[in-house]
Amino acid sequence: MSELKVLLSRQQIAERVTEMAKQITADAKGEPLLFVGVLKGAAIFLSDLVRQVEVDATFEFIAVSTYGNRPTPTQELRHAWDSTGEVKLTKDVDQSLRGKNVILVEDILDTGLTLTFLKRLLQGHQPKSFRVAVLLDKPSRRKMPVEADYTGFQIPDEFVVGYGLDYAERYRNLADICVLRNGTSTNEN
Ligand code: 5GP
């Protein structure tokens, strides 16, 4: 049996995303922005964010895979999640980032290994500016010294699902962000 407990309600998320969009709009100073979302977790956050940004904006999606111990039904969620640091790009951008004002959009900043990899990779495309927006940040888990420019919420070291975030591809469609506690099985209905 899985246990879901609401950590951030849909109202809290909506209010914070609106604030982030206002800040991003102000910082853009009228220049166009190119948002680059990391699939699949950031898709919902990106779609809510870009619709509230009041400058000319386009978006792209990239995808990465991490070789690590994604939680499995036989492992405890809290301790099982740990990446090895080997991140691989599995889907690249379809347009050049050169000379553009790029905002990388991530669902959650955890150890920082994924963001460190992506920052290095995307900055190599020589954008005009490069900023990072993350919805969630677990600062206590950080292994790499990397921070986002825009952070929605700092959260404790809990495994969360919903609003795009999954556990074995489930729960992405939950409107709230919930803590998923042990006892989860991928076979459950
Ligand atoms: P990092 O490389 O910073 O350790 O991990 C970032 C990625 O790990 C996120 O983009 C996300 O896919 C995954 N991740 C980290 N913590 C959680 C969590 O609590 N829930 C879910 N669903 N994914 C997480």
Side-chain angles (χ1 to χ4, degrees), residues 148-188:
D149 300 280
Y150 308 99
T151 299
F153 303 91
Q154 290 202 336
I155 62 166
D157 180 11
E158 298 268 17
F159 191 83
V160 290
V161 294
Y163 197 71
L165 287 151
D166 76 312
Y167 170 69
E169 293 301 325
R170 291 186 62 197
Y171 307 114
R172 291 192 197 275
N173 62 323
L174 294 179
D176 305 310
I177 291 174
C178 301
V179 172
L180 182 65
R181 292 264 157 76
N182 295 326
T184 303
S185 161
T186 49
N187 296 324
E188 70 193 10

Side-chain angles (χ1 to χ4, degrees), residues 97-116:
L97 306 185
R98 199 184 177 96
K100 311 253 173 79
N101 296 301
V102 172
I103 301 200
L104 178 66
V105 182
E106 252 284 47
D107 52 1
I108 180 162
L109 175 53
D110 189 32
T111 63
L113 292 162
T114 307
L115 187 56
T116 301

